[in-house]
Amino acid sequence: MAGRRSWRLVQICGATVHRLRPGSRLRVPGKVPRKAWDPFVAFHINKGLVRKYMNSLLIGELSPEQPSFEPTKNKELIYEFRELQATVERMGLMKANHVFFLLYLLHILLLDVAAWLTLWVFGTSFVPFLLCAVLLSTAQAQAGWLQHDFGHLSVFSTSTWNHLLHHFVIGHLKGAPASWWNHLHFQHHAKPNCFRKDPDINMHPFFFALGKILSVELGKQKKKYMPYNHQHKYFFLIGPPALLPLYFQWYIFYFVFQRKKWVDLAWMISFYARISLTYVPLLGLKGLLGLFFMVRFLESNWFVWVTQMNHIPMHIDHDRNMDWVSTQLQATCNVHKSAFNDWFSGHLNFQIEHHLFPVMPRHNYHKVAPLVQSLCAKHGIEYQSKPLFSAFADIVYSLKESGQLWLDAYLHQ
């Protein structure tokens, strides 16, 4: 039983814990293992509530001769990051500006209404149809960033309101299940760019060879699922244009039926009912289907370039059991701040700060960024920030490099 509970705690906190002797008790802050403390703090806004559910996971006590830190963990970095967390709390950077998020939601609703009005006022010829698709794609992309805020519990001080608005935005405004997003996204945050633990890099090895280490490993194993040395070319075909319309759009229905997520399904049905009632009278069923998949195509390009620019060019490897802070920093980079970059990426241009403080409201990322830069400089850790189009280009360059590394290892090692 103790071994099984240890495994459950690993999955919840995204951290490895000692296997301890059954029957003993664990003296740590809030009964959370020290190696799981940082992700526990990062992921929860009401830690007292969460602790009530953790007593069943209590498995034992470290004996005096057992080290509290493993050699793979940077002890000084962890302690200083925890001091930074306390500073951030004192500065009030974990408190959301509700007016910011209200205005953000309103601008999404206005884009949605403007898209429909374009067809209603100007007719359904090619130009109004295309303009409608662009407006709807923009609304969908921006709703994607907003649901991300609610999903991370970044807006309200209670989980209940965050979950409710998360269902509304991702379910009613976008037609996707909140439980599916939660299932995938928190695994990504716990172990970013860690093979077999981060679902965001599951395209390795069947579609792409990612990262220098994994690509060489794949080549040495003489595995070739795709011509990886050309992946920087076919990325433009099966990456940005295809992810949403050809994969996500169908998988989300499989997910909700397989896991019997009927509440999510009801929210999704409300989305399809709404767009059918508003667009079928103007376009007919075939016209609506054409518009829908054009919107998903445009949104997919937007989504993939933004979400991959911060991770694909960074370190990708197996899980090396590093500390929380080092794990996040080696897997993320930033894109320079500007009004456009902030809006276009939903403030995910501050990916470093987002990964270190996932429940922080996004409008405060730029305030904590100088403190994070100082921490990185003190410990000799590279803090990368680059222009937007350089970040896009780095996706392609990194795919080309890892594809060539795979080919060299495949042919010569």
Side-chain angles (χ1 to χ4, degrees), residues 115-350:
W116 182 84
L117 285 174
T118 299
L119 294 181
W120 187 68
V121 173
F122 299 105
T124 58
S125 59
F126 177 74
V127 173
F129 184 89
L130 183 61
L131 179 57
C132 173
V134 170
L135 289 169
L136 269 182
S137 301
T138 304
Q140 286 292 295
Q142 292 298 323
W145 308 144
L146 183 59
Q147 69 81 23
H148 179 266
D149 298 311
F150 290 117
H152 272 293
L153 313 178
S154 298
V155 182
F156 297 105
S157 58
T158 62
S159 297
T160 302
W161 280 104
N162 283 299
H163 290 319
L164 178 61
L165 269 294
H166 190 212
H167 277 294
F168 172 75
V169 177
I170 196 174
H172 182 69
L173 295 186
K174 288 189 61 63
S179 58
W180 162 76
W181 184 88
N182 288 331
H183 173 71
L184 294 177
H185 198 66
F186 286 105
Q187 292 181 70
H188 161 69
H189 269 270
K191 294 289 183 180
N193 281 9
C194 291
F195 183 48
R196 300 197 186 283
K197 294 191 176 182
D198 179 1
D200 283 12
I201 59 170
N202 278 350
M203 58 274 206
H204 176 95
F206 296 111
F207 295 102
F208 299 97
L210 299 179
K212 298 176 183 178
I213 295 172
L214 296 182
S215 298
V216 171
E217 180 183 274
L218 200 63
K220 288 180 178 179
Q221 294 170 350
K222 308 304 177 185
K223 292 183 178 179
K224 181 183 179 181
Y225 300 101
M226 295 286 282
Y228 303 119
N229 50 311
H230 297 291
Q231 65 183 1
H232 59 292
K233 302 171 186 174
Y234 65 72
F235 170 76
F236 289 92
L237 297 176
I238 68 171
L243 182 64
L244 268 63
L246 298 184
Y247 178 59
F248 279 0
Q249 185 58 47
W250 311 108
Y251 181 76
I252 55 178
F253 283 97
Y254 169 77
F255 182 93
V256 294
F257 279 104
Q258 182 198 40
R259 295 173 180 257
K260 298 179 173 60
K261 299 293 185 180
W262 308 130
V263 172
D264 278 323
L265 181 61
W267 281 104
M268 293 166 67
I269 290 173
S270 75
F271 165 79
Y272 291 101
R274 175 173 61 86
I275 63 169
S276 297
L277 289 171
T278 50
Y279 284 97
V280 168
L282 297 175
L283 295 170
L285 182 58
K286 289 184 179 179
L288 172 59
L289 290 175
L291 175 65
F292 180 78
F293 283 102
M294 179 179 287
V295 168
R296 285 292 183 250
F297 167 79
L298 295 173
E299 181 194 359
S300 186
N301 281 274
W302 190 332
F303 173 80
V304 172
W305 285 104
V306 169
T307 57
Q308 300 309 305
M309 68 183 182
N310 305 111
H311 292 300
I312 292 298
M314 302 304 292
H315 184 74
I316 301 174
D317 196 359
H318 297 279
D319 181 13
R320 302 300 180 185
N321 194 29
M322 299 178 69
D323 58 84
W324 161 261
V325 183
S326 299
T327 299
Q328 306 304 318
L329 290 174
Q330 71 176 3
T332 54
C333 66
N334 280 4
V335 168
H336 296 339
K337 175 178 172 54
S338 72
F340 176 79
N341 289 352
D342 292 354
W343 174 83
F344 185 76
S345 68
H347 288 85
L348 293 180
N349 50 326
F350 288 97

Side-chain angles (χ1 to χ4, degrees), residues 1 19 32 39 64 80 82 102 120 224 238 264 289 302 327 344 371 373 391 397 399-400 402:
M1 180 61 73
R19 293 185 179 276
V32 181
E80 292 197 28
R82 291 174 184 173
L102 175 62
W120 187 68
K224 181 183 179 181
I238 68 171
D264 278 323
L289 290 175
W302 190 332
T327 299
F344 185 76
L371 303 178
Q373 290 179 49
Y397 293 149
L399 289 173
K400 184 177 181 179
S402 58

Side-chain angles (χ1 to χ4, degrees), residues 65-99:
E65 68 273 10
Q66 288 181 295
S68 59
F69 279 90
E70 296 166 294
T72 54
K73 308 289 172 53
N74 188 332
K75 184 177 180 179
E76 295 301 321
L77 177 62
I78 293 171
Y79 282 151
E80 292 197 28
F81 175 70
R82 291 174 184 173
E83 291 177 1
L84 176 58
Q85 284 179 315
T87 300
V88 164
E89 291 279 359
R90 288 194 300 271
M91 294 173 65
L93 298 183
M94 305 305 288
K95 295 179 180 179
N97 181 342
H98 293 157
V99 174

